[in-house]
Amino acid sequence: MDDQVCPIDFRYGREEVKNIFGEKSKLQHLLDVESALARAHAKVGNISKKDADEISKKATIKYVKVQRVKDIEKETRHDIMAVTKALAEVCEGSAGKFIHLGATSYDIVDTANALQFSKATDIISKELKQLRKTLVNLAKKHKNTLMSGRTHGQYSIPITFGLKMAVYALEVDRHLERMHECKSRILVGKMSGAVGTAAAMGKHALKIQELVMKDLRLGIEEGATQIVCRDRYIELLSNLCNIATSMEKFATEIRNLQRSEIGEAAEAFESKKQVGSSTMPHKRNPIICEQVSGISRVVRSNIIPGFENAIQWHERDLANSSSERFILPHALILTDWIVYQMNDVFKNLKIFPEKMLYNLEKSKGLPMAESVMTKLVEKGMGRGEAHEIMRTCSQKAITEEKDLFTILSSNSSILKYLDKKEIKNSLDSKNYLGVSDKIIDNVINKLTR
């Protein structure tokens, strides 16, 4: 079939990650494991070094072709047998007799998976570092860019755009920690046979497994059934889902800030000819953030089969195999893609401080009710009484469509504690940012040292 079906093939994902999971790369990783196994057998004396060297030399896609493997699989109905047969065909002398010696298929598959995980997670971590750097730079630049905080979709108290970015940068930093911490648990392979006893490997079984994994720079599944235990894959998928959720969180914030009635930040249009709508010429839609939101949901959906794949009949069944062909490459490719996309969004983000100030002013001082309440408490009023006075004054300002200063400056109970100048200072957003500047400085220092 000439037409492509999966959007990953033609629309989403970066080539450097997609290439890790392509047919040629997948085959090469399987061959890498087979050649490492042959070298290990040679080191313990099970086969000759000459045969191991021949297997290693021919265990590349230069000699073993994807199409030949496919042709054999049509006959054998077994993918790994097809790989071993295709490799044996190109090996000279007696070497072909010793390919896959003592191994079961998933010794090869799961160990090759770990090699792919290693490469893909390294790329994702690299992009997370770039995103963290971008967010730190925004935190620095907008340390004093005043804007309204919002809770429940409503004005709350003032914050700075820099604080928002600092919070995001810390979240990304935690994802980097998780990715680093989980590698010792997910980058493992096995070489222990059909049920984990390594019976077919002979007396040097544990040494062979050790040598293979050392050769491939992987950890060892110390105790396995026929497969690497899937709690490891669940952890990988969970981390990817967590990252995807943060990307959607960030994207959703930009989408909201770009709303017409808010207009405080916006995605950059990539070109002068970019079209926002096929029917509404004026539209400038947050299409990248919307894409990120949609794809993050696809990434998270992979966790369900990931959990279910861990439930095996006895020492193993084959129910995990087909779904993992989808969920593992897709989750890794798409997670990398949305991290990359969000970094692009933040690097080119259009920020409108004047609109942030305008929206604060439009609130008629209501978000500063807490500030005045706090000042009243400082002056000696009870906290409960101060809260009630400010609640009733705020409601009156809303009902009468007046600014809060007008209502407060005519309230005798308040004037007993605060004069009009003190009220005005308490209603000044710049005076109610707490220690946000210190928080931002601390984040910057932590993430740039």
Side-chain angles (χ1 to χ4, degrees):
M1 185 174 69
D2 293 331
D3 291 336
Q4 295 172 322
V5 175
C6 180
I8 285 179
D9 293 331
F10 58 87
R11 194 175 187 92
Y12 306 124
R14 295 197 291 169
E15 291 305 316
E16 60 182 315
V17 187
K18 289 197 281 188
N19 287 341
I20 295 170
F21 299 96
E23 286 184 308
K24 289 182 179 179
S25 181
K26 175 68 174 178
L27 176 56
Q28 186 58 64
H29 284 105
L30 295 170
L31 293 169
D32 288 342
V33 179
E34 291 285 4
S35 62
L37 176 59
R39 290 190 293 273
H41 274 299
K43 286 179 180 177
V44 299
N46 288 343
I47 68 174
S48 70
K49 184 177 184 300
K50 180 181 177 182
D51 286 332
D53 288 344
E54 175 64 10
I55 293 170
S56 296
K57 177 183 176 182
K58 297 297 175 60
T60 74
I61 56 175
K62 175 182 176 182
Y63 295 100
V64 182
K65 303 299 182 182
V66 169
Q67 189 56 53
R68 180 55 184 153
V69 173
K70 286 182 176 181
D71 291 342
I72 296 173
E73 188 178 352
K74 287 179 182 178
E75 300 172 355
T76 62
R77 303 281 291 175
H78 196 287
D79 54 348
I80 301 304
M81 278 300 296
V83 172
T84 60
K85 281 178 174 289
L87 177 54
E89 286 178 349
V90 298
C91 285
E92 297 178 4
S94 60
K97 297 189 298 183
F98 303 110
I99 295 167
H100 202 67
L101 183 62
T104 191
S105 297
Y106 261 69
D107 286 337
I108 311 303
V109 171
D110 280 358
T111 306
N113 282 345
L115 294 174
Q116 291 175 300
F117 295 163
S118 178
K119 292 179 180 178
T121 54
D122 278 350
I123 293 172
I124 292 171
S125 293
K126 182 178 178 181
E127 196 58 33
L128 283 169
K129 288 178 183 177
Q130 289 298 315
L131 177 56
R132 181 181 64 184
K133 180 179 178 181
T134 299
L135 293 168
V136 167
N137 288 339
L138 284 171
K140 287 180 184 177
K141 183 176 180 180
H142 293 280
K143 177 180 174 180
N144 299 310
T145 300
L146 195 64
M147 67 182 297
S148 178
R150 294 175 174 90
T151 57
H152 307 280
Q154 311 291 313
Y155 288 130
S156 56
I157 63 175
I159 61 169
T160 65
F161 191 73
L163 179 59
K164 191 185 292 285
M165 295 299 100
V167 170
Y168 290 179
L170 284 170
E171 191 163 334
V172 172
D173 187 63
R174 289 192 293 275
H175 288 312
L176 278 163
E177 287 182 13
R178 293 183 189 101
M179 290 296 282
H180 176 73
E181 289 166 355
C182 80
K183 285 189 175 185
S184 64
R185 292 183 291 275
I186 65 171
L187 302 185
V188 302
K190 68 176 286 285
M191 205 57 64
S192 56
V195 294
T197 63
M201 289 287 179
K203 62 181 180 180
H204 300 298
L206 291 176
K207 186 64 177 177
I208 290 169
Q209 179 170 252
E210 178 188 336
L211 288 168
V212 170
M213 301 314 153
K214 184 177 181 181
D215 190 342
L216 298 173
R217 302 180 68 181
L218 294 173
I220 297 171
E221 177 64 279
E222 297 95 339
T225 58
Q226 192 180 102
I227 62 175
V228 164
C229 293
R230 265 25 188 189
D231 63 288
R232 299 179 185 275
Y233 288 21
I234 289 170
E235 182 174 8
L236 170 62
L237 288 167
S238 296
N239 281 340
L240 298 176
C241 290
N242 202 346
I243 293 168
T245 300
S246 290
M247 297 308 109
E248 184 173 3
K249 168 185 169 179
F250 303 161
T252 300
E253 180 66 13
I254 301 305
R255 290 167 62 192
N256 271 314
L257 293 178
Q258 191 167 336
R259 287 167 57 185
S260 299
E261 64 271 27
I262 296 178
E264 296 178 355
E267 282 185 22
F269 255 32
E270 293 184 356
S271 73
K272 292 181 179 179
K273 293 187 177 182
Q274 183 172 332
V275 176
S277 169
S278 63
T279 187
M280 295 171 282
H282 69 284
K283 295 297 288 300
R284 293 174 67 95
N285 300 327
I287 58 170
I288 299 177
C289 287
E290 289 172 334
Q291 180 192 117
V292 167
S293 293
I295 290 177
S296 72
R297 298 166 191 178
V298 176
V299 173
R300 288 197 297 274
S301 71
N302 291 315
I303 196 64
I304 300 302
F307 274 112
E308 293 178 349
N309 286 340
I311 303 167
Q312 298 279 310
W313 286 18
H314 306 298
E315 277 58 60
R316 102 143 290 198
D317 59 56
L318 201 61
N320 67 294
S321 176
S322 54
S323 69
E324 285 177 353
R325 293 175 193 268
F326 287 95
I327 65 175
L328 297 175
H330 283 205
L332 287 156
I333 291 167
L334 292 176
T335 299
D336 171 77
W337 178 244
I338 58 179
V339 174
Y340 170 77
Q341 289 286 72
M342 280 314 302
N343 189 33
D344 186 64
V345 167
F346 281 117
K347 280 197 296 186
N348 299 296
L349 191 66
K350 302 298 182 183
I351 301 163
F352 308 111
E354 69 285 351
K355 191 60 184 291
M356 294 175 177
L357 289 174
Y358 171 79
N359 286 338
L360 270 173
E361 292 167 2
K362 192 171 65 173
S363 68
K364 297 182 177 181
L366 286 166
M368 299 303 295
E370 183 190 74
S371 172
V372 180
M373 179 187 75
T374 302
K375 195 67 177 177
L376 288 169
V377 173
E378 287 179 9
K379 293 286 189 172
M381 184 181 288
R383 198 270 179 191
E385 182 184 358
H387 184 280
E388 179 58 22
I389 286 176
M390 291 309 302
R391 187 190 69 82
T392 56
C393 286
S394 297
Q395 294 303 313
K396 185 177 181 180
I398 294 168
T399 302
E400 297 181 5
E401 297 184 354
K402 294 179 179 179
D403 63 82
L404 189 57
F405 176 76
T406 300
I407 301 299
L408 298 180
S409 60
S410 62
N411 185 290
S412 58
S413 297
I414 290 175
L415 291 173
K416 288 179 182 178
Y417 292 87
L418 303 174
D419 59 33
K420 291 184 179 182
K421 182 179 179 181
E422 289 174 315
I423 295 172
K424 199 171 191 65
N425 285 337
S426 296
L427 292 172
D428 188 338
S429 300
K430 295 191 295 295
N431 297 332
Y432 201 62
L433 292 171
V435 293
S436 61
D437 57 339
K438 292 183 175 61
I439 294 171
I440 295 168
D441 287 341
N442 289 340
V443 171
I444 292 169
N445 290 335
K446 176 181 178 179
L447 300 184
T448 56
R449 64 171 181 258

